[in-house]
Amino acid sequence: MTYATVPDTHPPAPRGWYKRNQIAVTPFLFLAPAILFFAVYVIIPIGQSFWISLHEWDGLGEATWVGTANYERLLGIGEQNMDRKFETSFWNNIKWLILYLLAIPAGLFIALFLNQTVRGIRVYKSLFFFPFVISQVVVGLVFSWFYLPREGLLNALIGLFGFGPVNILGDPSLATYGIIAAGLWPQTAYCMILYLTGLNAVDPEQVEAARLDGAKGWRMLWYVILPQLKPATFIAFVVTIIGALRSFDLISVMTNGGPFGSTRVLSFYMFEESLSEFGFRMGYGAAIAVILFFIMLAFIIYFLWSMYQDERGGR
Amino acid sequence: MFPTPIEKRPRSAQLSYQAFLPLALILWLLPLIAVANFSIKPEADFVNGNYWGMPSSFEMFSNYGRVFFESNMPRYLLNSLFITVPTVIGAVALSAMAGFALGVYRFKGNLFIFFMFIAGNFVPFQILMVPVRDLTIDLNLYDTKTGLILFHIAFQTGFCTLFMRNFIRALPFPLIEAARVEGVAEWRIFWYVVLPLMKPALAALAVLIFTFIWNDYFWAVVLTQGPGAQPVTAGITEFNSQFRAAYHLMSAGSIVAALPPVAMFFLMQKHFIAGLTLGAVK
């Protein structure tokens, strides 16, 4: 009996495991370095900070487990009072959050002002924007000189209107506002550029149609333009909130937390506790950082949720 | 266009707009103009109380010369450069790969990993500070440029990956499929098909990251000390204590420290703004 042999349709050499699973494996090979770096320097440290915040630790010797004692001391749970410095820092953070948001309408205002096509407007736009590119350290220095009681230009200007000199950064009730104003300068520039880009993409037909219907000025802005600027507003909101909670450079450069600790915010207070010359209190610092993290987390979840909605809508 | 184009307005409105424009700009940049003015004044002006007027003589060269020849400023500037450039290369490379993986392939956990990168990017620095400082000390990299670079690469990868992934998503997918049908290996698709299309994104990110890293202050203070490794943002504090109350020199120093990202911005404006405003338009 003879059997007809089935011709061998397989390729001569068996393909390697990688070749067969290429599409499944490649993304992980490409992701590996980024994930490794990100995990080591960002993800794992978040967990470690939680752990450290439950200890008392000077950064060198052995850490002692203290449970939630750091948090109790910060928030004043039980017998003790709330940490006064923490309280000041927290309320300053709230001031930063609220006042920093002014950058969004201010940026929109300047963008509307500059959204014209006269000669040289491009140069104006870049010159209005470029404070954003300057490092916050230099912005801080520039503004602290601007505010100087004797040499500063600000006092010279308000002197023209007959007001006496004010020492903004030396006055505990004004210093924080002075720093926030300095921070608003680059932040407004950023929001402006976002809105300029957004305005560029506004649908001209809708604007014309609204004009024919008699819409103009504020009503046009509110009902026709702003809805189309929603993506720009979202990004402006995200970067402004993050900027407000990250405020550190300006405070460190302009007042170093003073006068009398009145300009501290959580991020600065945390740094001071952990690495100050009075000794390293890493555990206490980490506890402050954890609280700051939770404030941020509320916003992060909102941002991610919005982005997730977008992702699903986009598919 | 909104607001109504100025050309459609009366002539008087046009003229007042054009007159107001430079005025508004001067007002906006006033603090900076004051510092620029400080930086070219002679010391005598500060003694005589001529703070805001015209300089009595232009001392630009001597002031800036002293910044460059009588202080550690050149060292700090070089440190900044040697920190910034490797970070840009590292972060862009890592995120181009990660963005490719997340943008092209469908697999379980894709969105989760993507969102992890975004979330990490929003985290306040302070929660990373103590562990990262410890890690850097353990690796024997405290007060070295390498220590700073490694951290910066890792942290910037979050933002860059978000950027790259969204950019790759917008590329024409049939191109990749066509290459697959041809039997091109996946890494070759990345290298020969996707990467050339990503040039605008690579340029935009490089400029942005350059600016972010050059301007970083917090990590410079946490991970370095002294002129051996500190970048210019941190070094300027030492510079300012060297020239305490010599406002003409401190201003000149600040301008020098701020200049490289500003130059980068004006040279690469298109890419810079494209990068910053990504997502501002649907």
Side-chain angles (χ1 to χ4, degrees):
Chain A
M1 237 188 193
T2 55
Y3 294 98
T5 44
V6 181
D8 182 15
T9 52
H10 289 285
R15 299 199 307 160
W17 181 86
Y18 173 73
K19 271 264 153 70
R20 275 179 284 125
N21 296 288
Q22 207 180 177
I23 301 231
V25 175
T26 314
F28 292 100
L29 291 179
F30 272 84
L31 273 171
I35 289 188
L36 180 77
F37 264 71
F38 208 66
V40 169
Y41 273 106
V42 181
I43 306 293
I44 297 171
I46 295 176
Q48 284 172 319
S49 268
F50 274 94
W51 182 244
I52 294 169
S53 76
L54 302 174
H55 292 79
E56 201 176 298
W57 188 37
D58 62 1
L60 297 166
E62 281 295 305
T64 345
W65 173 267
V66 292
T68 54
N70 285 328
Y71 294 97
E72 282 165 27
R73 221 166 81 216
L74 273 176
L75 302 169
I77 297 165
E79 310 277 287
Q80 50 209 331
N81 286 325
M82 195 176 191
D83 180 343
R84 285 270 301 283
K85 295 177 185 170
F86 175 79
E87 210 177 336
T88 319
S89 310
F90 178 79
W91 287 113
N92 277 338
N93 261 126
I94 303 289
K95 282 182 203 164
W96 270 89
L97 270 177
I98 295 169
L99 291 175
Y100 226 48
L101 287 175
L102 288 176
I104 298 174
L108 176 63
F109 177 79
I110 299 180
L112 290 172
F113 173 64
L114 290 178
N115 193 30
Q116 295 289 353
T117 45
V118 296
R119 255 172 77 101
I121 195 73
R122 288 192 43 174
V123 179
Y124 278 107
K125 286 177 185 168
S126 5
L127 285 173
F128 264 91
F129 173 69
F130 99 99
F132 177 75
V133 188
I134 301 172
S135 82
Q136 297 248 311
V137 173
V138 176
V139 170
L141 289 171
V142 166
F143 268 81
S144 48
W145 297 329
F146 187 64
Y147 290 151
L148 281 175
R150 208 156 50 92
E151 298 90 338
L153 192 55
L154 181 72
N155 278 309
L157 286 178
I158 61 174
L160 292 179
F161 299 100
F163 293 103
V166 282
N167 183 4
I168 291 183
L169 296 182
D171 183 339
S173 61
L174 289 178
T176 291
Y177 300 106
I179 303 176
I180 296 175
L184 277 174
W185 190 49
Q187 194 63 33
T188 302
Y190 190 0
C191 294
M192 175 205 84
I193 207 79
L194 287 171
Y195 278 123
L196 273 176
T197 315
L199 282 171
N200 231 341
V202 163
D203 180 7
E205 278 176 26
Q206 275 191 41
V207 178
E208 282 316 309
R211 251 187 209 132
L212 290 180
D213 286 343
K216 53 183 174 199
W218 288 108
R219 290 173 58 85
M220 173 82 111
L221 179 66
W222 188 257
Y223 291 107
V224 183
I225 307 295
L226 277 184
Q228 295 192 57
L229 292 177
K230 227 175 141 194
T233 308
F234 177 70
I235 297 187
F237 184 68
V238 172
V239 293
T240 305
I241 294 286
I242 294 175
L245 287 175
R246 281 215 178 130
S247 52
F248 172 87
D249 303 6
L250 287 173
I251 297 162
S252 167
V253 169
M254 292 174 78
T255 60
N256 206 14
F260 314 114
S262 62
T263 54
R264 280 196 192 98
V265 294
L266 290 179
S267 61
F268 185 82
Y269 183 36
M270 183 273 165
F271 177 82
E272 218 179 33
E273 282 295 319
S274 318
L275 295 179
S276 75
E277 53 248 66
F278 314 115
F280 292 0
R281 294 161 74 192
M282 301 284 190
Y284 201 56
I288 302 169
V290 168
I291 291 176
L292 181 64
F293 176 74
F294 275 115
I295 298 174
M296 191 73 116
L297 198 62
F299 290 104
I300 294 178
I301 289 171
Y302 165 70
F303 299 155
L304 288 184
W305 184 77
S306 309
M307 286 175 165
Y308 183 64
Q309 298 296 322
D310 262 18
E311 277 297 317
R312 289 202 341 196
R315 297 281 82 194
Chain B
M1 212 172 140
F2 184 85
T4 314
I6 202 87
E7 306 94 77
K8 292 187 186 163
R9 292 291 208 64
R11 185 90 188 116
S12 61
Q14 289 182 30
L15 285 178
S16 48
Y17 180 75
Q18 296 211 334
F20 191 59
L21 212 47
L23 215 68
L25 181 69
I26 290 174
L27 221 62
W28 180 244
L29 295 181
L30 204 57
L32 211 59
I33 295 169
V35 169
N37 185 28
F38 270 17
S39 78
I40 54 171
K41 275 170 180 284
E43 198 171 359
D45 277 8
F46 292 91
V47 180
N48 300 331
N50 173 14
Y51 300 125
W52 317 288
M54 284 292 281
S56 61
S57 63
F58 290 95
E59 299 296 336
M60 192 170 152
F61 288 106
S62 84
N63 287 351
Y64 284 88
R66 285 185 68 184
V67 170
F68 277 104
F69 297 112
E70 287 175 31
S71 75
N72 276 328
M73 199 53 116
R75 265 192 88 176
Y76 288 123
L77 286 171
L78 275 184
N79 285 345
S80 274
L81 191 71
F82 290 140
I83 291 165
T84 307
V85 173
T87 304
V88 169
I89 296 171
V92 168
L94 286 192
S95 62
M97 286 163 58
F100 173 73
L102 294 172
V104 169
Y105 300 89
R106 285 159 179 275
F107 55 91
K108 235 182 163 169
N110 181 319
L111 213 55
F112 174 77
I113 295 175
F114 179 54
F115 275 40
M116 186 194 73
F117 278 119
I118 305 177
N121 176 49
F122 291 153
V123 151
F125 294 149
Q126 279 70 18
I127 197 152
L128 311 178
M129 183 184 110
V130 174
V132 166
R133 189 172 173 277
D134 262 10
L135 175 69
T136 309
I137 292 173
D138 287 343
L139 292 172
N140 243 333
L141 292 174
Y142 181 73
D143 198 20
T144 63
K145 296 181 201 90
T146 321
L148 260 182
I149 293 168
L150 287 179
F151 172 77
H152 280 319
I153 291 179
F155 194 80
Q156 295 302 330
T157 299
F159 169 73
C160 297
T161 303
L162 160 70
F163 189 103
M164 291 286 191
R165 183 264 191 191
N166 284 348
F167 190 88
I168 291 174
R169 264 288 149 99
L171 294 178
F173 193 69
L175 220 61
I176 294 163
E177 275 179 331
R180 275 195 190 143
V181 170
E182 294 287 318
V184 180
E186 296 295 313
W187 70 269
R188 283 173 171 274
I189 294 180
F190 171 69
W191 192 256
Y192 293 106
V193 180
V194 174
L195 213 52
L197 294 173
M198 272 163 47
K199 271 183 196 149
L202 298 174
L205 265 188
V207 189
L208 276 185
I209 301 302
F210 181 92
T211 313
F212 291 165
I213 301 304
W214 187 282
N215 291 343
D216 163 69
Y217 173 70
F218 182 74
W219 292 104
V221 182
V222 171
L223 297 181
T224 58
Q225 48 182 191
Q230 263 190 341
V232 70
T233 41
I236 193 135
T237 334
E238 189 236 23
F239 177 85
N240 284 350
S241 50
Q242 183 186 344
F243 296 106
R244 183 162 295 281
Y247 288 112
H248 55 305
L249 296 178
M250 295 201 294
S251 322
S254 314
I255 288 180
V256 168
L259 217 52
V262 172
M264 194 64 139
F265 163 67
F266 279 105
L267 290 175
M268 309 276 285
Q269 222 182 108
K270 202 184 80 195
H271 291 302
F272 194 96
I273 289 176
L276 267 188
T277 55
L278 177 95
V281 178
K282 281 278 150 69

